[in-house]
Each structure stands twice: as structure tokens, then as C-alpha cells.
């Protein structure tokens, strides 16, 4: 019993990201890696991915978004796998893939993603997002996200944004990665490769989180 209590105390400091609110500081706190049981390094189901991308391209055409590139996140994939996809909608192919953290929800130790649209839930939200303006926040450069579905309609009010953090590894691995407060959070180097797609686009890019 004593050992169990000590183990719980050691886990308490691992309350990872504070809310991703916009502010004037770019100082990032130190965030420890999440102790998760090992799992397989999985890739996204490509057939399903292409179907999702086709549907997203149709949505982009209908609503006036960028019809060349889009981002997709398959949260059915283990967190140690590359489940963030930069997709070329015009040529129907994957441009790149990277790791992405999901929201810690009610239990940051759980690997399964819990979805919610409720403020304060610290959960990821399913649905399509419009990627908005860039700003410098607590974790450096970030992009505001606007939920386009009923399942993520409160994303902007919840300060759910697209940003990076050093706790997200660059390479796929067998162990789970850190969690966020609901923001899709990327490896800094990989995040830097995506910024030109967003910054140079004349129309907003879409991001789709699904499972």
C-alpha cells in the first residue's frame, strides 16, 4: 500500500499542458514524457485515409477552403505512431506524416482517446477544423482552430490550437507519448515543415480529427 501511494505521488507532477491561451510569452515549461505501457507502432489505415481525404476535398470545394492540401489526424492509431497526415488533395497522396499528442481527458495515463466538446474537459474533439491565424503563445508559434462541426464547435473558446512541443518525438516509437489539454500538438521540427503550407495559402486549410 505504501509503495502504491508513493507511485501515485510520483505521477502527480505529470499534469502536462496548461491551457493553450494566447499571451505574450514564448517560455515553455518542462513537460515529462508520459509513462504508458508499450504498444505497436502503427500506421494509419491508408485506404480509409484516402476516403477521408476525398470527402475533405469535396468539403473544401463546396465551402471555399484550400483544395490542394489538408491535414488529417487518425486517433484510432496508437500515440507512438505517425497519425498526423499532411495530404496532397490534388494528387491524392500523403506528403508527410508525424506524431501528434491528444488530449489527456479525465485520465492522462489512458492511451485510448476520450473525446469531448466541453470546456475544461482537456479532451480532443472530433470533427473538421478551419486553421486560422498564427500567433505567438505559451508554446511558441501556434495557429487558432475553428471547429466546423457540432462535435468541436467550442474549440476556439476552449483555446484548442495547433502548436508544437518538445515532448512529442520526431520518430515513431513503441511507447506512448505525452498528452495535451486538447490541442493537437506536434514535434517542433515536423511542425516547422507544415507552417509554409499554412502561411502561403490564399485560402484556409482544413484539419480533420477522426477515429
Amino acid at each position: 500500500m505504501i509503495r502504491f501511494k508513493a507511485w501515485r505521488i510520483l505521477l502527480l507532477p505529470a499534469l502536462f499542458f496548461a491551457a493553450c491561451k494566447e499571451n505574450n510569452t514564448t517560455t515553455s515549461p518542462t513537460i515529462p514524457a508520459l509513462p504508458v505501457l508499450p504498444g505497436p507502432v502503427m500506421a494509419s489505415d491508408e485506404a480509409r485515409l484516402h476516403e477521408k481525404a476525398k470527402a475533405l476535398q469535396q468539403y473544401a470545394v463546396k465551402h471555399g477552403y484550400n483544395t490542394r492540401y489538408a491535414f488529417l489526424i487518425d486517433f484510432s492509431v496508437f500515440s507512438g505512431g505517425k497519425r498526423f497526415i499532411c495530404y496532397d488533395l490534388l494528387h491524392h497522396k500523403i506528403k508527410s506524416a508525424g506524431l501528434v499528442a491528444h488530449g489527456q481527458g479525465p485520465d492522462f495515463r489512458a492511451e485510448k482517446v476520450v473525446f469531448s466538446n466541453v470546456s475544461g474537459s482537456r479532451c480532443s474533439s472530433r470533427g473538421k477544423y478551419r486553421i486560422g491565424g498564427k500567433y505567438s503563445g505559451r508554446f511558441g508559434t501556434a495557429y487558432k482552430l475553428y471547429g466546423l462541426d457540432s462535435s468541436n464547435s467550442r474549440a476556439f473558446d476552449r483555446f484548442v490550437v495547433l502548436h508544437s512541443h518538445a515532448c512529442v518525438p520526431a520518430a515513431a516509437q513503441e511507447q506512448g507519448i505525452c498528452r495535451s489539454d486538447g490541442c493537437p500538438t506536434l514535434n517542433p521540427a515536423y511542425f516547422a515543415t507544415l507552417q509554409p503550407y499554412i502561411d502561403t495559402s490564399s485560402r484556409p486549410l482544413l484539419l480533420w480529427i477522426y477515429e
Side-chain angles (χ1 to χ4, degrees), residues 68-69 85-89 93-97 190 197:
R68 178 64 192 275
Y69 298 109
I85 305 296
C86 175
Y87 196 92
D88 184 335
L89 298 172
K93 65 180 183 180
I94 298 170
K95 291 290 292 183
S96 67
Y190 182 62
Y197 291 95

Side-chain angles (χ1 to χ4, degrees), residues 44-45 48-49 52 56 70-79 81-87 98-103 113 115 124-127 129 131 145 160-163 182-186 190 194 206-211:
S44 182
D45 182 333
R48 185 163 174 252
L49 171 66
K52 291 286 187 181
L56 197 57
F71 304 146
L72 299 97
I73 299 175
D74 182 357
F75 273 148
S76 68
V77 175
F78 177 70
S79 67
K82 292 187 175 183
R83 52 190 184 170
F84 183 101
I85 305 296
C86 175
Y87 196 92
L99 275 69
V100 57
H102 62 260
V113 182
F115 295 98
S124 298
S125 296
R126 289 188 186 92
Y129 296 80
I131 300 178
L145 294 177
V160 173
V161 301
L162 181 65
H163 69 88
C183 299
T185 305
L186 303 168
Y190 182 62
L194 301 175
L206 291 170
L207 164 69
W208 194 356
I209 292 176
Y210 62 93
E211 184 185 41

